[in-house]
Amino acid sequence: MNVEMLSRIQFALTSSFHYIYPPMSIGIGLMLCIFEGIYLKTRNPRYKQITKFWTKIFALTFALGVATGLVQVFGFGTNWARYSRYVGDVFGSALGAEGIFAFFLESGFLGVMLFGWNRVSAKMHYVSTLCVALGAHFSAVWIVVANSWMQTPAAYKIVGDGSAAKATVTDFWGMVFNPSAMDRLTHVILGCWLTGIFLVLSVSAYYFLKKQYEDFANKTMRIGLIAAAIVLVLQLISADSTARGVAFNQPSKLAAMEGVFKTEANTPLTVMGWVDEENQTVKGIKIPGLLSFMTYGDAQTPITGFDQIPQDERPPIGIVFQTYHLMIVMWVLMALLTCIGFYLWKKNRLKKSKWVLWAFVLSILFPHIANQTGWMTAEIGRQPWIVYKLLRTSQGVSTNIVTSQVVMSLIMFIIIYVLLFALFLFLLDRKIKHGPEEEDVEDSLYRTLGSSSKGEKS
């Protein structure tokens, strides 16, 4: 456990913990736009109640996302100073754009969205909700663009030699639209949408089990199931496109994802299994030729295996293989549960199927696991490069820190994150158990009925 490995573990910890919250914020933001849009269209006060309830959940996830994201910024300077110097020009432009297009948009309209219900018009409030949701998406755009440049560098030149070398941008839009950026951005955004959608489904199922707020849960469950079905199909299409890009741009990562040791025609697709690195084989269920066909449209075209990749340029194969397949399993579980939910909903049996409802309650874990394992596949699969083919991870770590400093900061982060996560679960649980504010609907109905009565008297 040297400084490099400990720093990698620390950054993995801070990144993984941070990434619990932005996907929920982005996904809930999408659902808020749908719920409030329906309210504007129908003027049904129930949808206003739904929007106000989920706005509170959004605020909680948003606050923790911002707080935990700041830690990563400091991590670049403390543990990865040489890397920061190398990519500073690239990341400076991308993250500067994030500040302008994302943070200003979110912060400018967040207050209106949270506290403006009775202070601005309904249409203006909806505009604020759209802007906050758009700002959350913009934040993801620039983060993924910067990360994608690390995977597939483009539109740059290297200035300086040795430890003084750094990458500078030669074409801003060329850097933004680097070869992997759009595929990866689409995949990430869809994963975030699924996280928000399945949180809505989870809470809806919980209310059905507790026989509380059933009209509220009916509406959110129906919309959630429709949204899940659409996004799951889009995610499948995105996954295929992303995997093809990996095959072209990062053959060593694809070889690790699928456990391809030998370059040969009719490369099989491993449905499930485990890697035996010592004997350079993968044991499990395989479909001959399917990987070649899915990648190139021709079963005879070979997939590059590790026999053509130098030993010192191979990622940890077993970890990448398992995380990639676990991500796929999570998609299958989400798709299967959505299909079952739709079937039972059409048969009016969903509320009576307790085991399915409990599966929906627990289903919030599926997109979270998929998100975490997806990022693990992407980042571990890029090793040993921190900037693919340009800068090795060992060359990016700071030179002026020692092992004891990283160990102590790692322990501190673990303690703080455990406390923060416990607080998050406590607050989330309290908000869900408290439920939506019923008086919002009652007041609206009372005012509507009151207006009708006055009209009849006149």
Side-chain angles (χ1 to χ4, degrees), residues 281-313:
T281 59
V282 175
K283 300 177 182 178
I285 302 173
K286 301 180 181 181
I287 303 176
L290 186 57
L291 183 59
S292 291
F293 180 78
M294 291 178 64
T295 304
Y296 299 110
D298 176 17
Q300 296 302 312
T301 304
I303 299 294
T304 302
F306 284 114
D307 56 347
Q308 294 188 11
I309 299 171
Q311 188 74 34
D312 64 346
E313 294 186 10

Side-chain angles (χ1 to χ4, degrees), residues 204-266:
S204 303
Y206 174 78
Y207 287 151
F208 282 147
L209 286 168
K210 295 297 181 180
K211 300 186 184 304
Q212 297 176 323
Y213 316 112
E214 291 198 18
D215 184 53
F216 175 99
N218 267 321
K219 289 178 169 54
T220 54
M221 176 64 80
R222 177 173 58 86
I223 295 170
L225 285 172
I226 294 170
I230 294 171
V231 177
L232 282 166
V233 172
L234 293 176
Q235 188 67 295
L236 182 63
I237 298 170
S238 168
D240 177 67
S241 179
T242 303
R244 290 173 187 269
V246 171
F248 182 77
N249 296 307
Q250 296 175 295
S252 61
K253 182 187 291 186
L254 183 69
M257 287 160 56
E258 295 290 355
V260 181
F261 285 94
K262 185 179 180 181
T263 305
E264 58 184 351
N266 286 299

